[in-house]
Amino acid sequence: DTEVTQTPKHLVMGMTNKKSLKCEQHMGHRAMYWYKQKAKKPPELMFVYSYEKLSINESVPSRFSPECPNSSLLNLHLHALQPEDSALYLCASSQGGRGAGRAFFGQGTRLTVV
Amino acid sequence: AQKITQTQPGMFVQEKEAVTLDCTYDTSDPSYGLFWYKQPSSGEMIFLIYQGSYDQQNATEGRYSLNFQKARKSANLVISASQLGDSAMYFCAMREDNTNAGKSTFGDGTTLTVKP
């Protein structure tokens, strides 16, 4: 069983909808990440939260809005998305700080924008 | 800047045989970690094996071993006794230890197909 849980597993949304992706981990990790992955491509880092503060934003469009309510939860709010935003969205977590250990990934949310 | 190169877009292997997936990397940081992940069609990224830059011995995890050649900057994954369930995409990734919060760089991946 994965130790990082993402919901929902699948999501279809219109370009005018607002939706949220959720991610939860209970490993005590202090770093959490959002990645976007297109088919047959490597994951692309979107955001990094370190100790519940946004530490990296890889120039992601503002229609994606991350939120870290506490050390166990990470959300990604979606608004006015485009069809090209359709992808697999992966959440991951790892120990915080320098030289942090490996990332644990969730099963991902397959997002389709229509 | 760190960079990972996987030169094999696709590989085939016969069931029960061994296969090597190539990975080379580039970094100016003397301290870093190298990872291999497996991603089946379901989408989950499954951690396979880790090698630290200062580790003296090659990492092994069950049927997986990492052939780490530091001078050549290569970190090839060896899968022994391939199984049908090994068919998946495999990613090599690197994280420089001077990077906060474990920001990793991924290679383009290799799709492995195991033939019965």
Side-chain angles (χ1 to χ4, degrees):
Chain A
D1 289 340
T2 182
E3 296 176 84
V4 176
T5 304
Q6 288 187 244
T7 54
K9 289 189 169 41
H10 300 272
L11 178 63
V12 179
M13 61 184 290
M15 289 188 284
T16 59
N17 291 158
K18 286 186 180 180
K19 296 287 185 182
S20 297
L21 308 185
K22 296 185 183 301
C23 175
E24 188 170 7
Q25 58 88 14
H26 294 287
M27 294 177 281
H29 288 167
R30 303 312 299 268
M32 296 186 76
Y33 317 76
W34 281 115
Y35 285 88
K36 173 183 177 181
Q37 187 180 22
K38 294 287 221 179
K40 300 196 180 299
K41 296 291 186 182
E44 299 173 15
L45 185 66
M46 300 175 71
F47 302 104
V48 179
Y49 272 83
S50 179
Y51 293 86
E52 298 153 55
K53 294 190 188 312
L54 183 64
S55 64
I56 296 175
N57 176 342
E58 294 286 6
S59 303
V60 179
S62 60
R63 57 186 184 268
F64 295 91
S65 175
E67 179 196 19
C68 188
N70 59 55
S71 60
S72 300
L73 293 174
L74 185 66
N75 298 323
L76 185 64
H77 303 298
L78 314 173
H79 174 54
L81 294 193
Q82 304 297 309
E84 59 265 28
D85 296 323
S86 299
L88 178 68
Y89 288 83
L90 290 162
C91 173
S93 70
S94 71
Q95 298 168 9
R98 295 180 185 277
R102 73 166 177 97
F104 291 73
F105 283 85
Q107 290 183 318
T109 295
R110 289 196 186 275
L111 174 68
T112 303
V113 181
V114 297
Chain B
Q2 51 185 333
K3 183 174 175 163
I4 294 281
T5 302
Q6 294 180 253
T7 58
Q8 305 155 315
M11 287 284 286
F12 292 88
V13 65
Q14 206 67 35
E15 193 178 8
K16 299 182 185 177
E17 292 187 350
V19 64
T20 298
L21 306 184
D22 294 341
C23 173
T24 59
Y25 60 92
D26 191 22
T27 178
S28 56
D29 193 329
S31 183
Y32 50 88
L34 295 157
F35 307 82
W36 277 93
Y37 290 90
K38 171 185 177 182
Q39 189 176 40
S41 57
S42 61
E44 184 182 5
M45 292 285 268
I46 301 168
F47 167 76
L48 296 178
I49 197 165
Y50 164 80
Q51 180 85 41
S53 58
Y54 292 116
D55 292 345
Q56 294 296 315
Q57 297 198 338
N58 287 345
T60 61
E61 290 283 351
R63 294 188 297 112
Y64 305 106
S65 60
L66 201 152
N67 184 1
F68 181 46
Q69 299 189 40
K70 194 170 182 177
R72 294 187 176 188
K73 294 189 174 179
S74 74
N76 298 340
L77 177 71
V78 180
I79 305 174
S80 63
S82 297
Q83 302 171 355
L84 295 178
D86 293 335
S87 294
M89 193 145 189
Y90 289 79
F91 289 100
C92 179
M94 179 176 70
R95 188 212 66 244
E96 293 170 339
D97 286 349
N98 69 355
T99 306
N100 276 332
K103 179 181 174 182
S104 293
T105 298
F106 286 80
D108 286 341
T110 296
T111 300
L112 177 67
T113 303
V114 180
K115 295 182 175 180

